[in-house]
Amino acid sequence: MALYICRCIHFHGRAAACPLSDIFIYCSTHTFNGSELKMRTVVPCLTILLVLAVCSAVHGCPPSERAALLAFRAALKEPYLGIFNSWTGDDCCNRWYGVSCDPVTHRVADINLRGESEDPIFERAHRTGFMTGYISPAICKLTRLSGVIIADWKGITGEIPRCITSLPFLRILDLIGNRLSGYLPADIGRLHRLTVLNVADNLISGSIPASLTALPNLMHLDLRNNKISGPLPRNFGNLRMLSRALLSRNQISGPLPASISRIYRLADLDLSLNQLTGKIPEFMGRMAVLATLNLDGNKFFGNIPPSLLVSGISNLNLSRNYLTGELPDVLGPRSYFTVLDLSYNNLKGRIPKSISEASYIGHLDLSHNHLCGPIPSGAPFDHLEAASFVFNDCLCGKPLKPC
């Protein structure tokens, strides 16, 4: 049995700093019977250090992912906050601002860059972020990405990289508040793990891709304030996990697809300020958890479905359409509205007395219609102002002129 004793020495016998090639491992072998085997081996320390460096690299991000991040950064210019100043060194998992890595594999898992944040870097600068440039396709080389948040930088242009749909683990894609143009990727339905898609407040055009309805885990869809046109996909209701669909301020046209009735988790639907047409479907008032329905600023016509006024909807805005007929006289204790806005339509007849039986109505707007007759007394009318009733044919009573 032998004991190996090794130490690192300088070949010239000096301890001072010198080229690594001049440093060696000195190993002597001793036996336990007291005699020494006269055998010495010298191995360049440089070899040992290279082995240690390779082992150490396992605990940092792969060089290919570091290179991809640097290529991503090179396509962007952020002149005020210096958020990319920390993107130095070999390990992109170590304190690179906005970069998070998987603790086991050390692969880049998230890019989280928000231009509006309470992070100290923004507080010190006393301003929000501004960034120009474009989103480089190099981001697609980070194949383990789970979240991509590049939000509210106001000046980033160009298109959403087509290759973004090749990221199989992507769950969050949040690009709100930039100046991105072009179309939504036609094959966005490949992102089967996607739960959040937010491209609001950009310049995205074209129609909603049919493949978007193939996202089985999508819960939050925000396309507000773009230039998206064309109809809602016929199979929009295939998004069974969807809880929020915010598509206001676009140019979406056509009727509401009947398949929407199958989205049982849908709680917030905002389609305001589009060019939607047709009648408002009766099923909208029978959706189990729908609490907010904004259809204002479209071209809907026909009567107001009575089911909308006795449902779980608490924020209902149907203003600025072409709705006709009388107000349904169906309200009761189940009717609870923080907002009930039916203004700027072609409604006629009297204000139904059943409105007084609603458990609560915070804001009621019936202005700019063709209503007539006395305004009922009591709640909620006793706290409403004249602006809620003006520009009708012949409404009278408090808060308007006496009948």
Side-chain angles (χ1 to χ4, degrees), residues 1-5 28-38:
M1 184 174 182
L3 175 66
Y4 294 89
I5 303 174
S28 62
T29 307
H30 299 264
T31 62
F32 287 108
N33 61 9
S35 63
E36 181 179 354
L37 177 64
K38 300 298 183 179

Side-chain angles (χ1 to χ4, degrees), residues 64-82:
S64 60
E65 300 210 343
R66 177 182 179 274
L69 284 171
L70 292 178
F72 165 77
R73 183 189 71 175
L76 297 168
K77 183 178 181 181
E78 191 284 297
Y80 301 113
L81 301 174

Side-chain angles (χ1 to χ4, degrees), residues 280-361:
I280 299 173
E282 181 76 26
F283 67 73
M284 299 299 300
R286 296 195 297 268
M287 299 185 68
V289 297
L290 189 62
T292 297
L293 179 60
N294 291 333
L295 300 178
D296 50 298
N298 282 285
K299 299 178 180 179
F300 290 111
F301 56 83
N303 296 339
I304 296 175
S307 61
L308 293 181
L309 302 181
V310 288
S311 65
I313 299 173
S314 58
N315 187 331
L316 179 62
N317 192 339
L318 306 180
S319 67
R320 299 179 186 275
N321 280 285
Y322 301 101
L323 300 175
T324 56
E326 298 184 355
L327 288 172
D329 193 8
V330 296
L331 284 84
R334 290 184 57 194
S335 305
Y336 183 101
F337 292 100
T338 55
V339 174
L340 178 57
D341 192 343
L342 308 176
S343 61
Y344 289 92
N345 279 289
N346 294 313
L347 302 171
K348 63 180 182 179
R350 292 173 174 262
I351 298 175
K353 293 182 180 180
S354 64
I355 290 184
S356 300
E357 299 175 15
S359 60
Y360 177 78
I361 298 181

Side-chain angles (χ1 to χ4, degrees), residues 134-197:
Y134 63 96
I135 300 175
S136 169
I139 198 173
C140 304
K141 296 180 181 179
L142 304 169
T143 56
R144 301 293 297 191
L145 275 175
S146 174
V148 174
I149 302 175
I150 308 169
D152 296 313
W153 292 102
K154 308 172 188 67
I156 297 177
T157 57
E159 298 187 359
I160 300 171
R162 304 292 102 179
C163 60
I164 204 82
T165 60
S166 67
L167 298 175
F169 300 98
L170 195 63
R171 297 179 183 275
I172 298 174
L173 180 59
D174 186 349
L175 306 176
I176 186 176
N178 293 291
R179 293 187 61 79
L180 300 174
S181 57
Y183 303 156
L184 291 172
D187 58 346
I188 197 167
R190 294 174 59 191
L191 298 173
H192 294 303
R193 289 181 169 88
L194 199 66
T195 61
V196 174
L197 175 58

